[in-house]
């Protein structure tokens, strides 16, 4: 009887395994067939072989084509975005590294003399192959696969995923009305605050670069991709896999063609599905024309990218003190909001049905712009509109802004899965880390939720973030 039972169990296990295997192979075939609809990237021997089960580095290229009438419309396409993604099952994080498009490098084409140029020129000179060759020469990183997707593909992807909720850190505005041809740039008009971005506005947002820096732009792009992963998760991406196949097949080019390559990537993606994304900042200096990096800076950046899997940060609070036994932080130097900014906050509060918390003390400089305070309606996933407001505070550095947001939408996606909850100054905070830096400090009061979000490059320290949040007060 026991032999028959064991034999029956074995038959069931083998039948289940065969069904799952057949299903996986059919999915892989479907995906490889979709990829074959687009031209294959011819990269010669520039790519490194991928070991089954081992880490892989993938280069994502977003290639641009300028609009007719733009100041650089006659120039060839460039690699508008170069993003390295490291999938390593042995690390706790998936690391992402954006390469500054204005990075000063030596480009060495096979059939011409070497030239000193911005790294994105490699794509215009020799396509994806020369781009890979240049990245390898400059950074010493071995790349396993390349995916080159154009702007229409990016818009189609965002729309198909149902658009993406992001914290727009400030007002993005550039209008070409009245300007002659040759002096225009991409138009954009996006208000600040937490909101859903779709299609063209999403593309405009991630590409914007006129009044900040190449490094801020890279951080904006990485944050956008991180929000896609956080909001959809592995199950969401799997449920939309057939549509994603068609989009990649229509709008992208890649070296990936074989079922073995797809299976290896699938295994890595499954193993890394629960890993948070760690944004690696490219260590470099900004110049008037170029972004420059010393060999030591490049070594530091590469080391963090390849070995940057670190546990999320954790705040160790001091012991409770005082008559009410409240935990408080050591003093942090902060500046007071101006009387004009406070007057704006009071005016807004009279029209809001929820309490308006305002950062009465903050990190800023005299050169920083005044606060941009805005109220608006925020639609949730079911299209129900919620009251919301945002206060944009300029830190003072180029492109450096942080926000205090409030809304009666109590469970927005941005506040899913906090890393730590603390009691500070009599208030309960939810903390969200990106590596060792606090990205978001959130708290709740009655029917509303509030959060303070760091700059795109997370330049505010953990104590600064907590001090600003602790000093936020309700204005009336």
């Amino acid at each position: 009887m026991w032999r028959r039972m064991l034999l029956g169990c074995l038959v069931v296990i083998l039948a289940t395994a065969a069904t799952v295997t057949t299903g996986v192979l059919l999915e892989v075939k479907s995906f490889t067939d979709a990829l074959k609809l687009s031209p294959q990237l011819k990269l010669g021997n520039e790519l490194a072989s991928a070991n089954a089960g081992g880490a892989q580095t993938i280069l994502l290229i977003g290639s641009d084509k300028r609009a007719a009438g733009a100041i650089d419309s006659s120039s060839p396409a460039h690699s508008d975005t170069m993003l390295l993604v490291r999938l390593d099952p042995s690390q706790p994080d998936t690391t992402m590294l954006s390469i500054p498009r204005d990075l000063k490098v030596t480009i060495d084409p096979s059939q011409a003399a070497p030239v000193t140029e911005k790294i994105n020129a490699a794509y215009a000179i020799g396509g994806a192959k020369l781009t890979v060759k240049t990245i390898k020469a400059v950074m010493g990183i071995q790349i396993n696969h390349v995916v080159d997707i154009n702007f229409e593909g990016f818009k189609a992807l965002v729309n198909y995923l149902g658009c993406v909720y992001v914290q727009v850190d400030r007002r993005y505005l550039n209008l070409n009305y009245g300007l002659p041809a040759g002096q225009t740039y991409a138009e954009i008009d996006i208000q600040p605050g937490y909101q859903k971005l779709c299609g063209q506005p999403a593309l405009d947002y991630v590409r914007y670069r006129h009044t900040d820096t190449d490094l801020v732009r890279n951080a904006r792009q990485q944050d956008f991709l991180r929000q896609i992963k956080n909001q959809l998760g592995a199950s969401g991406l799997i449920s939309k896999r057939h549509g994603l196949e068609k989009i990649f097949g229509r709008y992208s080019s890649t070296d990936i063609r074989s079922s073995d390559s797809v299976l290896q990537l699938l295994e890595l993606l499954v193993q890394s599905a629960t890993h948070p994304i760690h944004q690696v900042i490219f260590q470099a200096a900004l110049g008037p024309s170029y972004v420059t990096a010393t060999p030591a800076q490049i070594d530091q950046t590469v080391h963090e990218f390849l070995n940057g899997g670190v546990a999320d940060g954790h705040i160790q609070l001091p012991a409770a003190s005082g008559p009410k036994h409240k935990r408080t932080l050591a003093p942090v130097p902060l500046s007071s909001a101006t009387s004009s900014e406070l007057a704006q906050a009071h005016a807004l509060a009279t029209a809001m049905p929820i309490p308006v918390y305002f950062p009465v003390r903050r990190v800023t400089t005299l050169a920083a712009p005044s606060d941009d305070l805005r109220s608006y309606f925020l639609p949730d996933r079911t299209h129900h509109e919620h009251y919301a407001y945002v206060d944009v505070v300029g830190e003072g550095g180029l492109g450096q802004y942080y926000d205090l947001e409030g809304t009666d939408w109590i469970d927005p996606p941005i506040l899913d899965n906090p890393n730590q909850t603390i009691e500070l100054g009599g208030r309960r905070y939810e903390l969200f880390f990106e590596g060792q830096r606090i990205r978001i400090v959130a708290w709740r009061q009655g029917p509303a939720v509030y959060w303070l979000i760091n700059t795109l490059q997370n330049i505010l320290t953990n104590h600064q973030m907590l001090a600003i949040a602790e000093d936020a007060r309700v204005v009336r």
Side-chain angles (χ1 to χ4, degrees):
M1 181 180 67
W2 281 107
R3 284 196 298 269
R4 287 196 299 270
M5 289 178 62
L6 289 174
L7 181 60
C9 289
L10 179 60
V11 169
V12 171
I13 291 171
L14 290 176
T16 303
T19 301
V20 171
T21 301
T22 301
V24 169
L25 292 177
L26 287 174
E27 291 291 344
V28 169
K29 183 180 185 302
S30 174
F31 190 61
T32 53
D33 287 346
L35 292 177
K36 290 176 183 178
L37 296 176
S38 61
Q40 182 178 7
L41 289 180
K42 303 296 184 180
L43 303 173
N45 58 357
E46 297 295 343
L47 296 181
S49 299
N51 297 322
Q56 290 192 34
T57 298
I58 302 168
L59 172 62
L60 303 178
I61 298 176
S63 51
D64 68 350
K65 181 60 180 174
R66 303 304 185 183
I71 193 170
D72 50 1
S73 61
S74 60
S75 64
H78 291 75
S79 49
D80 191 75
T81 300
M82 291 163 285
L83 180 69
L84 291 168
V85 179
R86 179 77 170 174
L87 296 169
D88 188 346
S90 68
Q91 295 285 346
D93 292 346
T94 294
T95 51
M96 287 196 310
L97 172 64
S98 292
I99 301 174
R101 51 174 281 160
D102 293 342
L103 184 67
K104 187 177 183 180
V105 299
T106 298
I107 299 173
D108 188 8
S110 300
Q111 305 298 325
V115 294
T116 299
E117 256 291 4
K118 297 177 180 179
I119 194 169
N120 73 323
Y123 189 88
I125 297 171
K129 181 177 180 179
L130 185 56
T131 300
V132 173
K133 179 182 178 181
T134 305
I135 292 173
K136 288 168 55 181
V138 172
M139 305 182 67
I141 292 177
Q142 298 298 310
I143 297 171
N144 302 108
H145 294 295
V146 178
V147 178
D148 183 347
I149 186 166
N150 63 38
F151 288 165
E152 291 302 316
F154 177 85
K155 292 190 292 185
L157 176 64
V158 170
N159 286 338
Y160 177 71
L161 294 176
C163 307
V164 181
Y165 281 102
V166 294
Q167 184 78 36
V168 178
D169 59 320
R170 63 182 179 91
R171 177 78 183 277
Y172 289 86
L173 178 64
N174 182 64
L175 302 177
N176 293 325
Y177 180 76
L179 294 177
Q183 296 184 17
T184 62
Y185 291 90
E187 290 197 341
I188 184 172
D189 187 2
I190 299 177
Q191 294 282 354
Y194 189 63
Q195 60 194 279
K196 181 187 282 189
L197 291 182
C198 305
Q200 188 63 48
L203 178 62
D204 295 339
Y205 172 70
V206 299
R207 291 195 64 214
Y208 184 88
R209 54 171 283 163
H210 299 323
T211 55
D212 50 33
T213 72
D214 207 9
L215 301 181
V216 173
R217 178 176 183 263
N218 288 347
R220 187 184 308 119
Q221 293 172 349
Q222 291 193 27
D223 180 67
F224 191 90
L225 292 177
R226 184 169 55 248
Q227 297 311 314
I228 291 177
K229 179 182 182 297
N230 291 345
Q231 290 170 39
L232 288 173
S235 60
L237 291 173
I238 290 173
S239 68
K240 295 178 178 291
R241 62 191 181 278
H242 297 301
L244 293 174
E245 291 171 1
K246 294 177 181 178
I247 291 172
F248 276 101
R250 181 176 179 184
Y251 296 106
S252 71
S253 299
T254 180
D255 65 285
I256 302 170
R257 280 296 187 272
S258 71
S259 297
D260 287 343
S261 295
V262 173
L263 279 170
Q264 288 178 4
L265 276 177
L266 180 62
E267 180 182 358
L268 273 180
L269 289 170
V270 169
Q271 292 174 334
S272 306
T274 59
H275 291 185
I277 292 178
H278 173 52
Q279 172 184 334
V280 177
I281 297 175
F282 201 106
Q283 302 299 317
L286 294 166
S289 300
Y290 293 98
V291 173
T292 58
T294 66
Q297 287 176 315
I298 290 176
D299 288 345
Q300 179 184 349
T301 299
V302 172
H303 177 78
E304 186 177 355
F305 174 69
L306 297 179
N307 308 284
V310 294
D312 288 324
H314 184 85
I315 293 296
Q316 187 66 43
L317 293 174
S321 61
K324 295 185 178 181
H325 301 288
K326 292 182 179 180
R327 287 186 171 90
T328 58
L329 292 174
V332 175
L334 298 175
S335 303
S336 297
T338 67
S339 57
S340 174
E341 290 166 340
L342 286 169
Q344 289 184 60
H346 284 290
L348 181 140
T350 61
M352 291 295 292
I354 61 173
V356 172
Y357 276 88
F358 187 75
V360 295
R361 286 166 41 80
R362 69 277 295 284
V363 175
T364 191
T365 66
L366 292 176
S370 297
D371 287 15
D372 185 3
L373 193 58
R374 170 189 177 229
S375 63
Y376 62 104
F377 288 105
L378 172 60
D380 63 18
R381 291 159 167 152
T382 64
H383 308 292
H384 176 73
E385 290 191 334
H386 296 269
Y387 290 100
Y389 75 92
V390 63
D391 180 45
V392 177
V393 184
E395 181 273 341
L398 185 60
Q400 304 295 346
Y401 298 84
Y402 56 97
D403 300 349
L404 196 158
E405 180 94 18
T407 178
D408 62 356
W409 183 10
I410 61 171
D411 58 348
I414 196 171
L415 300 185
D416 289 343
N417 303 314
N419 300 109
Q420 185 182 359
T421 301
I422 63 172
E423 296 278 351
L424 185 63
R427 195 182 293 165
R428 185 179 182 86
Y429 295 104
E430 298 170 6
L431 305 184
F432 300 77
F433 286 84
E434 188 177 311
Q436 294 297 306
R437 280 291 173 105
I438 292 177
R439 177 72 182 151
I440 297 173
V441 180
W443 65 97
R444 301 172 187 275
Q445 179 179 322
V449 62
Y450 306 85
W451 63 88
L452 176 75
I453 185 166
N454 212 329
T455 71
L456 286 168
Q457 291 185 288
N458 294 329
I459 66 171
L460 298 184
T461 68
N462 293 348
H463 277 187
Q464 287 174 330
M465 287 286 290
L466 290 172
I468 296 170
E470 190 177 12
D471 276 357
R473 295 289 180 266
V474 174
V475 296
R476 304 187 187 281

